[in-house]
């Protein structure tokens, strides 16, 4: 699958999933889940900045930062008891990190449907990740329009 | 029943105490021949983060639903799944899960569609097991494959379809969703994905009894007296009633189906798994909005 608009680091994550058998994809999602970074200190004291992704089954909150070089960073927090949601957030936090504003806004809305997880976790659950991406992109638009 | 039941005094007040086991009972019986422990959660990865030693996982989306038709797996699919999990027709199956056993009750209901005789719930589920500091492991189990027979699914006894609900008007219906979903303010649970329904509201005449009212704060089931007060006094059910329960896709109402059938002893309870995602979008079916049940329409057969 080639998609000229998909940044390389997201394409790498997608390919990493697609190379695996369906059952192993769940294990990889768990690895992503465990890798979701703690919030940096400047944000961990500011839960008010974070937006809840209400489409997800478990409480997950995100905040998008656009730094001085116009690079995007996604921060997310979700409970350990919600490993699937944490995994979704971690994929996007890693996959979007350091991209330019235009690159993030150019990520196709159906990216979550293309990484081979639909079968492994079900289409319904994937909706949570689609919502995460949509909200992250909206936050990016808000940051740059200020 | 192949393994002795839990004779905990709390359970003896329920209509079918053999359908529940306590965490202490399960800890004592782990590893018994003929016992298979099944975890069934809302979160598809929760099991992988740690589960009761030896427990196998059954996921409602990826294991119990048919991927093509909106339906459950058929007899051959169920036999294949259970055989892989090391479950035979004679196995004692104890199911537990997160969220007050919500999905565990759903799995138990699906086992019932196939007439699996000895299937029980762990009272308190995953949350109580963890709260009590009991053992979890991430070691995957290696069940010896069993030979589960192909049994035809019985869709008539504990399952209702839309047409059954239309013919049921005049008999009790229980809507187990949140008050906001019942009134029509929203078509899905707060903080949950919208599975889609064109209209908000409830099936006319349905009583509103949110499913989680049956659960105590520690995720166990409430006592018989408390459950009687909720379902008989508040919701107006009477012994012998023919009841249909529904929610949004049939999972929360499985929990209520379990309470009415196995704890309170109603013998004719069906779960309408099409639930609001079907009813709220179906052509030519009536709905009611607001907090009142509304009048029962004339039954259609």
């Amino acid at each position: 699958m080639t998609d000229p608009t998909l940044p390389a680091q997201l394409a790498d994550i997608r390919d990493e999933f697609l190379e695996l058998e369906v059952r192993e994809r769940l294990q990889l999602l768990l690895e992503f889940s465990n890798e979701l970074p703690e919030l940096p200190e400047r944000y961990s004291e500011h839960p008010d900045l974070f937006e809840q992704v209400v489409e997800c089954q478990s409480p997950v909150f995100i905040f998008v930062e656009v730094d001085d070089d116009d690079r995007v960073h996604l921060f997310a927090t979700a409970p350990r008891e919600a490993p699937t949601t944490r995994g979704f957030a971690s994929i996007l936090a890693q996959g979007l990190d350091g991209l330019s504003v235009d690159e993030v806004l150019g990520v196709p809305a159906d990216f979550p449907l293309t990484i081979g997880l639909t079968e492994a976790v079900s289409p319904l659950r994937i909706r949570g990740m689609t919502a995460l991406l949509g909200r992250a992109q909206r936050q990016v638009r808000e940051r740059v329009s200020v | 029943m192949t393994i002795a039941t839990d004779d905990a005094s709390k359970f003896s007040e329920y209509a079918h105490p053999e359908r529940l086991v306590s965490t202490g009972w399960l800890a004592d019986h782990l590893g018994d021949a003929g016992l298979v422990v099944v975890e069934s959660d809302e979160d598809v990865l929760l099991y992988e983060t740690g589960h009761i030693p030896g427990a196998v996982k059954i996921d409602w989306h990826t294991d119990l639903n048919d991927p093509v038709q909106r339906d459950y797996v058929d007899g051959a699919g169920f036999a294949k799944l259970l055989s892989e999990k090391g479950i035979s027709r004679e196995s004692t199956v104890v199911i537990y899960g997160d969220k007050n056993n919500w999905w565990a009750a759903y799995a138990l209901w699906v086992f019932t569609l196939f007439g699996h005789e000895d299937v029980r719930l762990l009272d308190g589920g995953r949350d109580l097991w963890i709260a009590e500091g009991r053992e979890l492991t991430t070691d995957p189990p290696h069940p010896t494959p069993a030979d589960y027979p192909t049994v035809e699914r019985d869709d008539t006894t504990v399952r209702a379809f839309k047409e059954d609900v239309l013919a049921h008007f005049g008999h009790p219906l229980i809507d187990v969703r949140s008050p906001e979903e019942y009134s029509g303010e929203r078509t899905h649970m707060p903080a949950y994905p919208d599975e889609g329904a064109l209209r908000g509201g409830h099936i006319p005449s349905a009583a509103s009894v949110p499913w989680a009212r049956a659960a105590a704060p520690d995720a166990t089931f409430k006592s018989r007296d408390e459950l009687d007060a909720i379902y008989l006094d508040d919701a107006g059910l009477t012994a012998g009633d023919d009841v249909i329960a529904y929610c949004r896709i049939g999972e929360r109402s499985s929990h209520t189906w379990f309470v009415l059938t196995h704890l309170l002893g109603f013998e004719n309870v069906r779960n309408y798994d099409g639930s609001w995602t079907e009813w709220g979008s179906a052509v030519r079916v009536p709905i009611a909005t607001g907090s009142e049940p509304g009048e029962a329409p004339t039954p259609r057969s």
Side-chain angles (χ1 to χ4, degrees), chain B residues 15-262:
Chain B
H16 296 287
E18 73 278 9
R19 293 296 176 178
L20 287 176
V21 302
S22 61
T23 49
W25 183 96
L26 185 58
D28 289 342
H29 286 81
L30 282 182
D32 280 9
L35 173 70
V36 181
V37 183
V38 172
E39 176 162 342
S40 209
D41 296 318
E42 174 176 296
D43 192 301
V44 68
L45 274 176
L46 195 54
Y47 169 91
E48 278 79 2
T49 67
H51 53 81
I52 294 177
V56 296
K57 165 185 169 180
I58 292 184
D59 183 70
W60 68 281
H61 274 295
T62 58
D63 290 325
L64 297 177
N65 281 349
D66 185 287
V68 177
Q69 179 160 293
R70 181 175 171 184
D71 205 345
Y72 301 99
V73 290
D74 62 10
F78 191 72
K80 178 170 179 290
L81 171 70
L82 267 60
S83 296
E84 285 170 6
K85 303 293 179 185
I87 301 172
S88 72
R89 191 70 172 161
E90 294 72 38
S91 297
T92 294
V93 176
V94 171
I95 311 182
Y96 73 99
D98 59 353
K99 308 268 168 105
N100 297 333
N101 273 330
W102 165 354
W103 306 91
Y106 189 47
L108 185 145
W109 178 75
V110 175
F111 272 62
T112 307
L113 293 176
F114 291 97
H116 190 92
E117 190 185 337
D118 190 0
V119 56
R120 317 178 189 180
L121 279 187
L122 173 66
D123 196 30
R126 181 181 167 95
D127 290 346
L128 185 61
W129 183 272
I130 292 174
E132 291 173 343
R134 296 182 188 274
E135 188 184 357
L136 293 178
T137 180
T138 53
D139 295 341
H142 300 285
T144 307
D147 188 15
Y148 202 90
T150 298
V151 180
E152 196 183 341
R153 204 180 58 224
D154 173 6
D155 286 336
T156 61
T157 309
V158 299
R159 187 179 188 191
F161 296 100
K162 187 182 87 196
E163 294 71 25
D164 299 321
V165 178
L166 288 166
H168 180 81
F169 283 130
H171 297 282
L173 283 156
I174 301 286
D175 184 316
V176 314
R177 298 171 302 157
S178 62
E180 295 80 14
E181 293 169 274
Y182 179 84
S183 68
E185 284 167 58
R186 51 168 82 231
T187 54
H188 62 111
M189 266 181 294
Y192 273 71
D194 186 354
E195 279 137 346
L198 284 177
R199 301 171 302 171
H202 56 269
I203 300 178
S205 78
S208 171
V209 188
W211 71 282
R213 286 186 65 191
D218 66 354
T220 60
F221 287 104
K222 283 183 179 164
S223 69
R224 178 70 187 259
D225 284 349
E226 291 171 304
L227 295 175
D228 280 341
I230 294 167
Y231 293 98
L232 305 185
D233 302 344
D234 293 358
L237 295 182
T238 309
D241 271 347
D242 180 352
V243 185
I244 293 178
Y246 72 94
C247 57
R248 183 188 44 148
I249 53 171
E251 12 66 87
R252 285 173 284 176
S253 44
S254 300
H255 190 274
T256 298
W257 168 85
F258 183 88
V259 170
L260 294 176
T261 301
H262 292 314

Side-chain angles (χ1 to χ4, degrees), chain A residues 23 26-27 29-30 33 52-58 80-85 119-122 124-125 127, chain B residues 41-46 48-49 57 59-62 84-85 99 103 190-196 249:
Chain A
R23 278 171 193 238
L26 271 187
Q27 282 303 322
L29 183 62
L30 185 61
S33 177
Q52 180 167 9
V53 181
V54 297
E55 295 87 346
C56 283
Q57 293 195 339
S58 305
R80 290 261 163 208
E81 298 73 40
T84 300
T85 303
E119 258 180 280
V121 308
S122 87
L124 192 61
R125 288 175 171 133
R127 286 189 192 187
Chain B
D41 296 318
E42 174 176 296
D43 192 301
V44 68
L45 274 176
L46 195 54
E48 278 79 2
T49 67
K57 165 185 169 180
D59 183 70
W60 68 281
H61 274 295
T62 58
E84 285 170 6
K85 303 293 179 185
K99 308 268 168 105
W103 306 91
Y192 273 71
D194 186 354
E195 279 137 346
I249 53 171

Side-chain angles (χ1 to χ4, degrees), chain A residues 32-115:
Chain A
F32 272 99
S33 177
N34 291 331
E35 287 167 10
L36 181 67
E38 294 291 320
L39 296 180
E41 210 168 310
R42 64 186 185 281
Y43 292 132
S44 60
E45 306 280 299
H46 289 281
D48 50 302
L49 290 173
F50 281 71
E51 168 182 344
Q52 180 167 9
V53 181
V54 297
E55 295 87 346
C56 283
Q57 293 195 339
S58 305
V60 52
F61 297 83
I62 61 163
F63 179 75
V64 170
E65 175 188 86
V66 179
D67 68 18
D68 296 340
D69 300 321
D70 273 342
R71 296 285 153 181
V72 173
H73 307 282
L74 170 66
F75 302 98
T77 161
R80 290 261 163 208
E81 298 73 40
T84 300
T85 303
R86 282 178 66 87
F88 292 164
S90 179
I91 287 171
L92 292 177
Q94 295 186 39
L96 300 179
D97 191 65
L99 296 181
S100 71
V101 165
D102 286 343
E103 283 172 322
V104 171
L105 295 180
V107 174
D110 67 353
F111 170 74
L113 297 174
T114 65
I115 60 175

